[in-house]
Amino acid sequence: VNMATGDHKKEPFISLNPFGQVPALEDGDLKLFESRAITNYISHEYAGKGTDLICKDSKKMAIVAVWMEVEAHHFDPEASKLVWELFYKPIYGLTTDPAAVTALSEKLAKVLDVYEGPLAHSKYLGGDCFHFADLHHLPCLNYLMTTQVKELFDSRLHVSAWCQDILARPAWAKVVEMQKK
């Protein structure tokens, strides 16, 4: 969908996502919106194809669920606003608000300080396997790593290694390549 021309705010896309936002998914007769719901559906519907994101161990999945909530409620609110300020505003000819960038960066730094602890002991946020908790960070990370706030990630040894790892995943590279088309 061409967001630059507002196609995401018009039919037929608006029938897939009534909020006029990306993403949306149509799989047969199923229509979904909201990225976390879409990734949950895909991981169950297409289990066994690609990286298994469904953890059979309930305790491990509970840990992954905690980090999914942290991403949704602590990381994403700050990170997505920073993406707007630093990445999208310049594209749309709008002025970045330096005070907002500073305040959001300070809040995000505190979240990344929390991340540094568990990432010192495991490769990924939910343990030693890539899961939803890591996956859901990728869109914002992809944009933020092209901005001045990259330093927030790079200045934390284990957060930096985690970012490099998940951003280098072959499946994510395909997503990034598709965006260029």
Side-chain angles (χ1 to χ4, degrees):
V1 64
N2 187 339
M3 292 176 67
T5 60
D7 290 350
H8 59 298
K9 302 288 186 186
K10 305 179 234 176
E11 289 296 347
F13 188 82
I14 203 81
S15 69
L16 294 175
N17 188 329
F19 293 103
Q21 298 173 327
V22 173
L25 173 76
E26 188 170 17
D27 190 24
D29 63 348
L30 179 66
K31 294 178 182 180
L32 292 175
F33 58 96
E34 295 300 335
S35 59
R36 291 166 188 86
I38 291 168
T39 58
N40 189 34
Y41 166 73
I42 289 171
S43 68
H44 283 86
E45 184 66 17
Y46 299 98
K49 296 179 181 179
T51 300
D52 188 9
L53 298 174
I54 303 167
C55 188
K56 309 293 188 259
D57 180 310
S58 60
K59 289 181 181 178
K60 287 181 181 178
M61 196 61 211
I63 293 167
V64 170
V66 165
W67 289 104
M68 289 168 53
E69 292 295 316
V70 170
E71 182 277 331
H73 300 288
H74 298 280
F75 177 85
D76 188 67
E78 314 312 332
S80 61
K81 289 174 189 166
L82 277 166
V83 169
W84 170 249
E85 286 293 335
L86 295 171
F87 188 83
Y88 283 110
K89 273 189 169 181
I91 289 173
Y92 291 112
L94 302 171
T95 303
T96 297
D97 179 352
V101 170
T102 298
L104 293 165
S105 295
E106 289 170 1
K107 290 178 182 178
L108 184 59
K110 290 177 182 176
V111 175
L112 297 178
D113 286 342
V114 172
Y115 282 25
E116 187 69 6
L119 290 170
H121 303 288
S122 63
K123 187 172 181 177
Y124 301 104
L125 281 173
D128 291 322
C129 298
F130 180 83
H131 280 288
F132 291 119
D134 309 292
L135 173 74
H136 293 161
H137 285 80
L138 284 168
C140 283
L141 282 177
N142 190 63
Y143 293 117
L144 292 176
M145 293 307 223
T146 67
T147 72
Q148 74 238 31
V149 298
K150 180 180 188 295
E151 189 272 336
L152 292 175
F153 300 89
D154 290 347
S155 65
R156 291 161 176 84
L157 179 67
H158 303 295
V159 168
S160 179
W162 169 72
C163 289
Q164 289 174 28
D165 180 274
I166 66 174
L167 287 165
R169 295 182 66 80
W172 183 248
K174 288 179 185 179
V175 171
V176 171
E177 191 57 38
M178 285 175 30
Q179 284 181 314
K180 294 177 184 176
K181 293 179 183 180

